[in-house]
């Protein structure tokens, strides 16, 4: 299995290290030809969604990645990555990939102004550490999007078919359970 990590900006190295610790091979996506290497899943890291959205277009990566997600490529967005996937952003007409039916609020997580650490329950995984950094939260989802975690009455982890989105940064903690959850999605969606 090879997992691609969008490596334009933000916390991509930490995802890479987490996956390497789990014994999983990764490649970095920085330019169009990087997409020629076969891969089984894609991580969209945290960072700044506006910057990543712009670079994706400028580097001609946007349409190819969007089509792959629509065709069933397993994708995992963390924080800004979740914003890239979301179908709606509150008070903003911008839609990036828009493939994950959910409405997100940017830079607006509850008690958070800068960043904070907490623990929260994720369906099927139990209590896991969560690091939030200028995080979004999910305001609403459509009927087919599964809510996996709610912290402080806000939705912070969701799944829609091949797409997993979390508002926090699992790659910045030692707990690999969410990454394992994503690997399980890849195994489930990869045609043998
Ligand atoms: N605030 C950032 C955004 O809107 C997300 C922050 C993060 O990824 N840690 O893109």
């Amino acid at each position: 299995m090879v997992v691609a990590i969008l490596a334009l900006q933000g916390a991509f190295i930490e995802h890479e290290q987490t996956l390497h610790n789990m014994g999983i091979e990764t490649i970095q996506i920085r330019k169009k030809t990087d997409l020629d290497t076969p891969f089984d899943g894609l991580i969209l890291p945290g960072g700044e969604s506006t910057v990543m959205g712009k670079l994706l277009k400028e580097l001609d990566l946007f349409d190819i990645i969007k089509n792959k997600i629509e065709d069933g490529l397993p994708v995992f967005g963390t924080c800004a990555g979740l914003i890239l996937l979301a179908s709606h952003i509150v008070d903003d007409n911008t839609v990036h990939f828009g493939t994950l039916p959910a409405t997100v609020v940017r830079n607006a997580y509850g008690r958070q102004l800068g960043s904070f650490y907490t623990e929260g329950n994720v369906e099927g995984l139990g209590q896991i550490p969560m690091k939030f950094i200028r995080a979004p939260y999910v305001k609403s989802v459509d009927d087919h999007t599964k809510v996996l975690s709610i912290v402080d009455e806000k939705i912070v982890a969701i799944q829609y078919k091949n797409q997993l989105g979390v508002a926090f940064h699992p790659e910045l903690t030692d707990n690999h359970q969410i990454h394992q959850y994503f690997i399980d999605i890849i195994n489930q969606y990869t045609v043998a």
Side-chain angles (χ1 to χ4, degrees):
M1 177 188 296
V2 178
V3 175
I5 304 172
L6 187 68
L8 302 179
Q9 189 263 335
F12 57 88
I13 287 168
E14 291 82 353
H15 278 291
E16 199 172 80
Q17 280 163 355
T18 301
L19 291 173
H20 290 174
N21 288 339
M22 296 168 73
I24 290 160
E25 201 182 320
T26 63
I27 57 166
Q28 293 188 355
I29 305 295
R30 293 174 177 272
K31 56 186 187 312
K32 201 172 171 184
T33 51
D34 294 334
L35 292 167
D36 296 341
T37 309
F39 54 89
D40 306 295
L42 172 68
I43 291 184
L44 306 174
E48 194 54 47
S49 53
T50 47
V51 176
M52 276 193 268
K54 196 164 169 277
L55 289 171
L56 280 163
K57 292 251 166 83
E58 283 175 9
L59 296 165
D60 266 348
L61 298 170
F62 185 87
D63 290 333
I64 304 173
I65 292 178
K66 183 173 168 159
N67 287 338
K68 282 180 185 286
I69 297 171
E70 285 172 344
D71 286 347
L73 174 75
V75 62
F76 176 24
T78 58
C79 204
L82 165 63
I83 298 168
L84 291 178
L85 291 172
S87 56
H88 301 283
I89 303 171
V90 169
D91 292 335
D92 194 334
N93 290 328
T94 312
V95 177
H96 300 284
F97 293 123
T99 48
L100 202 174
T103 299
V104 298
V105 184
R106 287 183 66 205
N107 299 324
Y109 190 86
R111 61 193 145 124
Q112 175 222 28
L113 289 174
S115 63
F116 69 94
Y117 171 87
T118 189
E119 287 185 3
N121 193 67
V122 178
E123 196 182 304
L125 304 183
Q127 204 76 357
I128 65 157
M130 296 178 175
K131 194 159 184 181
F132 291 85
I133 303 171
R134 298 189 324 283
Y137 69 85
V138 180
K139 193 175 169 209
S140 60
V141 293
D142 95 347
D143 287 350
H144 303 289
T145 301
K146 196 155 95 182
V147 173
L148 299 174
S149 180
I150 297 177
V151 170
D152 289 354
E153 296 173 0
K154 299 211 161 42
I155 300 169
V156 297
I158 54 177
Q159 182 185 352
Y160 174 71
K161 298 180 182 171
N162 55 316
Q163 302 175 55
L164 175 67
V166 304
F168 51 93
H169 284 262
E171 77 287 5
L172 299 181
T173 67
D174 291 337
N175 187 301
H176 298 162
Q177 277 174 282
I178 296 272
H179 285 83
Q180 186 56 52
Y181 188 97
F182 179 54
I183 299 305
D184 293 345
I185 293 176
I186 296 178
N187 283 325
Q188 189 188 335
Y189 276 84
T190 303
V191 183

